Amino acid sequence: MSTLPSFAGDASPYGGGDPYADYRSADFSFTQYVDLADRRLGAGVIAANDEFFAERENLLKPEAAEFDPEHFGHKGKIMDGWETRRRRGVSAAQPHPTDEDHDWALIRLGAPGVVRGIVVDTAHFRGNYPQAVSVEAASVPGSPSPEELLAADVKWTTLIPRTAVGGHAANGFAVDVEQRFTHLRLNQHPDGGVARLRVYGEVAPDPRWVAALGTLDLAALENGGQVEDASDRFYSPATNTIQPGRSRKMDDGWETRRRRDKGNDWIRYRLAAQSEVRAVEIDTAYLKGNSAGWAALSIRDGESGEWVEVLPRTRLQPDTNHRFLLDAPAVGTHVRIDIFPDGGISRLRLFGSLTPEGASRLIARHQELGG
């Protein structure tokens, strides 16, 4: 674990106006990866030892935390995050908590994977954020209960050692533990509040599950697909195009700025492993006056392979799911979609199966990660 720019120290009390005016953050390189704790992937906060002031589920809300200075309930100020009560010592002679006292929350990742970076966001927690945080990770198959995760025989690996954090700030930590994890434990020392938790990394699917499915979406995040690069991310991230389910609103897809040159926009994907692609879906749901005009699809095998066009430039309709059967299975490890001239798509689905070579590589990678 390597700590990125530190934000230790108190934030100023809220003085009115824009609540984010003095919010502290930085550009974290690991945010290029998918958020493994995204609820759209199936993530959840399954337990916490205390959530007196604010519910644990707030940690994984996709939108930025909100702040309403007038919002109070019968327990006190209502915060958009996870907030515990103030810890106390055991007696009048010992009124302070011990160094070991802390609060915790258990997070089930939406998809098992390798964690590359974590953001512990204390937005709007100015005088009530934790003094320090730590994060541990475990790999437990199936759907374990909180009691099973907290059992003595479960091995927890430290991703972030106990580290001081700042209030009203995005506290970012790079992680370099090359293992596959399914669950996290977020600890705050000794108590306080955290607005959001983001866990960036690479999905590492179970090869047995992939083999049992046979035909699957080879670009989907939950199956190990990944966006490697995109020409433009002005309005929304390209990773949206391989999220689960159909888009539910315009910004749940990928949309580029308006081009004023003669070029075009594109996304490059890495598939789960070497695959045979047999069918394609390009969805423009909720993109009506701003959908891509045309799209073309190419595939290559390996990092240095030649791009081969498998779907020629084809007219797209707004707010429509387009389905294409390929004339012959297209074998490769990477796919590129080009849209003309600009605009957006909401989802890309690439249906097929792993090749024997792809399946072998996926199994080997799973074993390397401790699966």
Side-chain angles (χ1 to χ4, degrees), residues 282-301:
I282 303 174
D283 196 352
T284 58
Y286 293 97
L287 295 163
K288 298 181 178 181
N290 51 355
S291 65
W294 293 262
L297 201 72
S298 302
I299 192 168
R300 77 179 185 195
D301 192 25

Side-chain angles (χ1 to χ4, degrees), residues 335-349:
V335 164
R336 170 175 165 143
I337 187 168
D338 286 271
I339 63 170
F340 302 88
D342 56 22
I345 61 172
S346 61
R347 296 290 189 270
L348 175 69
R349 305 296 186 209

